[in-house]
Each structure stands twice: as C-alpha cells, then as structure tokens.
C-alpha cells in the first residue's frame, strides 16, 4: 500500500526531531548515569566537563552501554566566554542539566572558596547564557542538605530550609536562589530543582560508577574498599545518636533511579509544562542506618565487613528521609531498585575497575 507523501514526511519528522540536551559535569557520577538514561530515551546529548572530578574513560563506558558516544568538550563552566562559544557552535539546545558542582561536605569545610567560586559562578554563567541562546530551561542537581539540621521526618518540599551546615550546603541553597531570582526576573525560562540525599550504586552493566578520589567518608565507598581489601575497617561516625542503633540514618537512592528522575524533568521542560521554578525531593521514603547498610551488603554478598566507632562528623545530620509524594505524582517518578540490588551493582562496578 502506498504511503501518502505528507504522512511519510510527518513520520520522518517525528524520528528526526530529537531534542538536544546539554549535560554539564556529565562525566561525573550522577551526571554520567543521567547521560546514559537521556541517550536511551532518545535525546541528543552533549557533555561539558572539566574533568576535575571525573575520568575521560567514562565516555567509553557510556558508549558500551548506549552504543554511541555523546559529543564531549573539556570546558570549565566558570569560563563564561568558553561556554558562550560552545553554545554558539551548538544551536537548538532545549535544556541544560547542571551537575558541574563540587559536592564533598568535608572538602568544602577545608576549601570553602573553591566551592563558592565553582558552584556559584557556574550557575551565574548558565542563568545569563540560557536566555541568550534561547534555551528553554535548566534542571539543577541539588541536595537535601539545603534543609540544614532536620527536626522532623520525613521532609517534603515545604520543609523550612535552615542554616547550612557546610559551605557545600550553602552553595546549594544560593544556587537555587540564583535560579529562582533569574527566572522570576521574567526571562521566560523554566527551572526544575531536584534535591536528593545519598546517591549510591552503579549501572547494572558495571561499565560506569563512582570514581573515587582520596579517602571517602561515605558508607558505600567505604564498604567497597573494605570488601576489596583496600582498608581494614569501616568508620562509623558516632554510635550515640538518637536512632535505634545509635548511627545516623539516611535515605539512600539508586543512582540509576536518580538519573531517570532527571530524564523526567528534562521531558517536562522540553514539553514546556514547567511553570517558573519547580522543586522536587528524590528519595525512597525509607531511612537506613550505617549498620543497616553494612548488614544489607553482607547479606547480598556473603562477605564480612568489620567496622570501628569513631567520633561524630562535625555538623552531621542525625536522621533524614524524604517524602517523595510530590515527585511521584507530578513527575511520575519513584525509586525502583531495591537496596540489596543497588549494593550488588556497586560491588560489580568496583570489582571491574
């Protein structure tokens, strides 16, 4: 049967009209997983990263999973001129997903100006450049640390933001304000802020995961290093908190689940469904202690993980988990990957490194 020319042209348009998305910091941990999920969802993805906290080999991992390599340029997002030139060479970008931030709480206390310069200038530059290049909006990778010391759980988007507990947390609060103020100034932009707490795990293929630098203080990387024989014990930072087993409690979310939430946000912006700035908490709605995490890994792998009790980390939040109702209902996203599966995927990645 002959296909009418007009229908055939419409068919081609549907499959050639791929929305173009820029991911800054796209070779980092959550960034690289988001690049993968965007590509699998059919988006044309461009990546900018200065490789200060990422590895160029991650491009190969992305290609192994998706079958293609995204366009990549080594650019520092605080370089306004370089970013302007990049966007001029790559027209028709619909949305920017911003991961170009330093994210270590401890390092931010030791090197605060490093965090203020990078994390804030990146957002200032992007919010100036987006309207100049007719980009529809931004998805901002933020953190639940913007809520400060939590007094009541679960937290939702209406929870009052308290005094930041670290320079990193402060930069996240200010970055959100930069986005809100810029969009409220009437420049016809959309913004979606995604606040998540503890991203863990790795891609189930074992091709990409968290590239650690230095000595980590987060529970999952410590577990992996002990399991690999790279350190003798896990450090439990305090066992006298007001929690069932005395250790801090967190809402841990699989990194692929978090990546898929960013895809949902990009879709909302590209379809112009976002009004102004929208904020969503990403979490499972369940809190796990540090001892819970050790036990879950031991049950999943059969390996024994010894630990030692050390002093509390300064400014550590005692317990926090989120209420994901808003993101469930509006973005149609929910965490899917069970904890033990997440830990197995992380273990697969570390063994393949």
């Amino acid at each position: 049967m002959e296909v009418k020319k007009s229908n055939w042209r419409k068919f081609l348009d549907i499959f050639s009209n791929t929305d173009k998305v820029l991911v800054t910091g796209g070779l980092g941990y959550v960034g690289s997983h988001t690049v993968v999920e965007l590509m699998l969802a059919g988006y044309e993805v461009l990546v900018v990263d200065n490789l200060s906290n990422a590895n160029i080999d991650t491009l190969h991992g992305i290609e192994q999973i998706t079958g293609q390599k995204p366009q990549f340029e080594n650019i520092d997002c605080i370089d306004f001129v370089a970013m302007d030139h990049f966007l001029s060479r790559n027209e028709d970008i619909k949305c920017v997903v911003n991961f170009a931030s330093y994210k270590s709480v401890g390092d931010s206390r030791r090197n605060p100006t490093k965090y203020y310069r990078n994390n804030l200038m990146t957002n200032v530059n992007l919010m100036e450049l987006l309207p100049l290049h007719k980009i529809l909006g931004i998805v901002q990778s933020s953190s639940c640390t913007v809520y400060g010391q939590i007094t009541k759980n679960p937290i939702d988007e209406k929870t009052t933001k308290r005094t930041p507990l670290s320079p990193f947390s402060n930069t996240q609060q200010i970055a959100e304000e930069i986005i809100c103020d810029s969009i409220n100034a009437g420049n016809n932009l959309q913004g979606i802020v995604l606040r998540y707490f503890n991203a863990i795990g790795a891609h189930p293929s074992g091709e990409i995961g968290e590239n650690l630098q230095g000595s980590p203080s987060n529970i999952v990387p410590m577990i992996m290093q002990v399991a690999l024989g790279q350190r003798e014990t896990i450090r439990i930072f305090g066992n006298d908190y007001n929690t069932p087993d005395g250790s801090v409690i967190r809402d841990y979310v699989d990194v692929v689940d978090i990546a898929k939430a960013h895809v949902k946000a990009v879709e909302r912006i590209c379809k112009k469904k976002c009004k102004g700035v929208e904020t969503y908490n990403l979490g499972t709605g369940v809190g796990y202690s540090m001892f819970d995490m050790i036990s879950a890994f031991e049950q999943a792998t059969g390996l024994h993980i010894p630990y030692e009790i050390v002093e509390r980390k300064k400014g550590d939040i005692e317990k926090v988990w989120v209420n994901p109702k808003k993101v469930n209902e509006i973005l149609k996203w929910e965490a899917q990957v069970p904890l033990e599966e997440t830990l197995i995927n992380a273990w697969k990645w570390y063994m393949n490194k």
Side-chain angles (χ1 to χ4, degrees), residues 236 238-241 243-249 289-292 318:
I236 303 293
N239 65 341
D240 56 352
Y241 287 95
T243 60
D245 62 23
S247 67
V248 296
I249 291 177
S289 74
M290 295 189 76
F291 291 113
D292 290 334
E318 182 171 84

Side-chain angles (χ1 to χ4, degrees), residues 156-175:
D156 61 24
E157 291 78 5
K158 294 180 181 179
T159 298
T160 301
K161 290 191 287 186
R162 299 178 180 274
T163 302
L165 298 175
S166 69
F168 161 70
S169 303
N170 200 24
T171 65
Q172 298 304 288
Q173 280 196 14
I174 298 171

Side-chain angles (χ1 to χ4, degrees), residues 113-163:
T113 55
K114 165 186 169 183
Y115 279 71
Y116 286 112
R117 180 182 297 109
N118 180 80
N119 295 7
L120 300 185
M121 285 309 302
T122 290
N123 275 98
V124 169
N125 287 346
L126 288 175
M127 297 316 294
E128 287 189 28
L129 288 166
L130 263 60
L132 292 178
H133 294 273
K134 297 180 172 59
I135 297 172
L136 294 176
I138 184 170
V139 177
Q140 175 73 8
S141 171
S142 189
S143 166
C144 284
T145 60
V146 298
Y147 293 110
Q149 189 62 257
I150 304 301
T151 58
K152 183 179 179 181
N153 283 292
I155 58 172
D156 61 24
E157 291 78 5
K158 294 180 181 179
T159 298
T160 301
K161 290 191 287 186
R162 299 178 180 274
T163 302

Side-chain angles (χ1 to χ4, degrees), residues 261-319:
H262 287 78
V263 177
K264 293 279 191 181
V266 167
E267 179 184 2
R268 187 167 176 83
I269 286 178
C270 289
K271 291 184 176 180
K272 300 181 180 179
K273 291 184 176 181
C274 177
K275 305 299 182 183
V277 181
E278 298 177 354
T279 301
Y280 300 95
N281 289 338
L282 302 183
T284 64
V286 179
Y288 293 96
S289 74
M290 295 189 76
F291 291 113
D292 290 334
M293 297 298 288
I294 294 172
S295 177
F297 181 79
E298 290 179 335
Q299 291 180 23
T301 63
L303 299 173
H304 174 61
I305 304 297
Y307 62 85
E308 60 178 322
I309 309 297
V310 298
E311 65 179 355
R312 294 184 179 191
K313 285 192 286 186
K314 181 181 178 181
D316 221 354
I317 296 172
E318 182 171 84
K319 49 191 171 185

Side-chain angles (χ1 to χ4, degrees), residues 1-279:
M1 182 175 70
E2 184 179 357
V3 179
K4 291 183 179 180
K5 188 174 182 179
S6 60
N7 290 343
W8 177 245
R9 183 178 290 112
K10 185 176 181 181
F11 175 82
L12 287 177
D13 287 344
I14 291 172
F15 287 92
S16 62
N17 187 26
T18 303
D19 287 328
K20 190 182 294 186
V21 179
L22 170 63
V23 182
T24 62
L27 296 188
Y29 179 38
V30 183
S32 61
H33 288 80
T34 299
V35 168
V36 165
E37 295 304 319
L38 284 166
M39 293 175 70
L40 293 178
Y43 290 93
E44 180 183 349
V45 180
L46 295 77
V47 175
V48 163
D49 200 307
N50 67 0
L51 301 179
S52 63
N53 195 30
N55 193 317
I56 191 64
D57 293 340
T58 303
L59 275 175
H60 175 71
I62 292 172
E63 184 179 23
Q64 289 295 106
I65 298 169
T66 65
Q68 56 185 321
K69 191 177 291 186
Q71 178 183 330
F72 168 75
E73 288 199 34
N74 185 337
I75 299 175
D76 194 324
C77 290
I78 68 174
D79 187 335
F80 183 92
V81 173
M83 285 296 294
D84 189 28
H85 288 168
F86 173 84
L87 293 173
S88 296
R89 296 193 308 271
N90 295 278
E91 298 294 341
D92 302 322
I93 291 173
K94 292 288 185 67
C95 182
V96 173
V97 186
N98 181 35
F99 293 100
S101 296
Y102 294 127
K103 297 184 182 298
S104 170
V105 170
D107 185 49
S108 77
R109 292 196 180 102
R110 293 186 292 271
N111 304 287
T113 55
K114 165 186 169 183
Y115 279 71
Y116 286 112
R117 180 182 297 109
N118 180 80
N119 295 7
L120 300 185
M121 285 309 302
T122 290
N123 275 98
V124 169
N125 287 346
L126 288 175
M127 297 316 294
E128 287 189 28
L129 288 166
L130 263 60
L132 292 178
H133 294 273
K134 297 180 172 59
I135 297 172
L136 294 176
I138 184 170
V139 177
Q140 175 73 8
S141 171
S142 189
S143 166
C144 284
T145 60
V146 298
Y147 293 110
Q149 189 62 257
I150 304 301
T151 58
K152 183 179 179 181
N153 283 292
I155 58 172
D156 61 24
E157 291 78 5
K158 294 180 181 179
T159 298
T160 301
K161 290 191 287 186
R162 299 178 180 274
T163 302
L165 298 175
S166 69
F168 161 70
S169 303
N170 200 24
T171 65
Q172 298 304 288
Q173 280 196 14
I174 298 171
E176 291 187 13
E177 291 166 2
I178 291 170
I179 292 172
C180 289
D181 290 344
S182 299
I183 291 177
N184 291 337
N187 51 22
N188 200 31
L189 289 173
Q190 306 169 79
I192 294 181
V193 174
L194 299 179
R195 296 170 177 163
Y196 50 91
F197 213 101
N198 288 71
I200 60 171
H203 195 273
S205 66
E207 294 290 343
I208 59 174
E210 187 171 15
N211 290 304
L212 295 176
Q213 296 182 1
S215 179
S217 60
N218 295 331
I219 183 68
V220 173
M222 285 196 295
I223 288 175
M224 301 303 154
Q225 288 184 343
V226 171
L228 288 168
Q230 296 174 356
R231 63 192 303 164
E232 293 184 1
T233 62
I234 285 181
R235 290 173 293 166
I236 303 293
F237 296 94
N239 65 341
D240 56 352
Y241 287 95
N242 184 28
T243 60
D245 62 23
S247 67
V248 296
I249 291 177
R250 298 286 182 267
D251 192 332
Y252 296 93
V253 194
D254 188 274
V255 65
V256 176
D257 278 336
I258 288 178
K260 289 179 178 178
H262 287 78
V263 177
K264 293 279 191 181
V266 167
E267 179 184 2
R268 187 167 176 83
I269 286 178
C270 289
K271 291 184 176 180
K272 300 181 180 179
K273 291 184 176 181
C274 177
K275 305 299 182 183
V277 181
E278 298 177 354
T279 301

